[in-house]
Amino acid sequence: HVYLRQQKYETALHFLKEDIQNFSSLKNREPLARALYSYGEAMQHTQKISKAIRAYQECIKICKEGHYFPLLLRSYNNLGSLYLSLEDYEQSVKIYQKGLEIALRINAITLKAALLFNQGLIYLKESNYALASRRFLIAKRVLENKKNKIAYDSLLLSKCYQVLANMAQEEKNNMK
């Protein structure tokens, strides 16, 4: 939604509520799923977390039924990130894992790497350095081997390098 991209969240919410209402009666459920996804994003940005969670969950349900996999993966990623921000690491890992399973099935390389990276962040916060480094290394390898990278791939790859370098430096400092 244009207002969402302009960070005019209250205006976006007004139009997204209308969109959700209008799209609810359509036989093709994809526009409704997209409106719910955007509504979840707007709610997330305005710190209305429980409403964002409900919007993403409804979007996920519609995406599963309609096999709208790219949007389903993005919804899992955003929902997992919401739980990560709430420090509900267990729920966040589960959600990322669901998305990862779908990403593997449909060969969504960028989202696979993003979900692995996000799982790595959780394990890092939990001080599970072995699992964290494994996730970051797999994400890095996935992105390095991807042909026709988009800008987000390069950004995510640089984040992998940075986190791995920070982890190595931390390990080195702890050995002193």
Side-chain angles (χ1 to χ4, degrees):
H1 201 275
V2 68
Y3 290 113
L4 187 61
R5 301 295 163 240
Q6 293 174 349
Q7 299 179 356
K8 296 178 180 177
Y9 302 116
E10 293 302 327
T11 305
L13 285 169
H14 169 75
F15 287 105
L16 287 166
K17 285 178 191 175
E18 279 184 19
D19 288 349
I20 290 167
Q21 192 171 35
N22 292 332
F23 297 156
S24 291
S25 61
L26 296 178
K27 188 173 183 167
N28 176 3
R29 308 281 286 164
E30 189 172 8
L32 176 59
R34 290 189 180 286
L36 285 163
Y37 177 84
S38 295
Y39 186 79
E41 280 188 304
M43 286 296 177
Q44 190 172 353
H45 286 289
T46 57
Q47 299 302 307
K48 297 172 183 155
I49 302 303
S50 61
K51 288 184 178 183
I53 289 171
R54 283 194 302 276
Y56 288 132
Q57 288 171 334
E58 184 63 25
C59 179
I60 286 168
K61 180 181 172 197
I62 293 168
C63 287
K64 282 181 179 179
E65 292 167 359
H67 304 284
Y68 310 129
F69 294 119
L71 186 57
L72 176 62
L73 291 174
R74 290 195 345 251
S75 299
Y76 274 131
N77 193 39
N78 280 18
L79 186 57
S81 295
L82 260 178
Y83 280 107
L84 177 59
S85 71
L86 296 172
E87 297 183 1
D88 187 342
Y89 302 138
E90 184 178 338
Q91 187 66 15
S92 187
V93 166
K94 285 179 186 177
I95 291 166
Y96 286 143
Q97 191 60 38
K98 286 179 184 179
L100 189 55
E101 290 165 9
I102 294 166
L104 289 169
R105 261 190 310 183
I106 67 167
N107 200 30
I109 296 169
T110 298
L111 284 166
K112 173 184 171 183
L115 291 159
L116 286 163
F117 180 84
N118 288 339
Q119 281 184 326
L121 291 176
I122 295 166
Y123 293 130
L124 189 60
K125 287 181 180 287
E126 292 178 331
S127 299
N128 188 336
Y129 300 114
L131 279 176
S133 65
R134 181 166 166 73
R135 291 300 190 275
F136 294 132
L137 286 168
I138 295 170
K140 180 179 84 66
R141 191 173 332 122
V142 164
L143 290 166
E144 287 173 338
N145 292 329
K146 184 179 180 197
K147 293 175 177 34
N148 303 319
K149 290 179 182 61
I150 59 173
Y152 182 73
D153 294 327
S154 298
L155 174 67
L156 191 53
L157 184 57
S158 70
K159 287 181 177 184
C160 288
Y161 289 135
Q162 185 63 55
V163 171
L164 288 165
N166 291 346
M167 289 176 72
Q169 185 63 46
E170 177 103 6
E171 186 175 332
K172 184 179 176 183
N173 292 342
N174 289 337
M175 295 176 98
K176 290 182 181 178

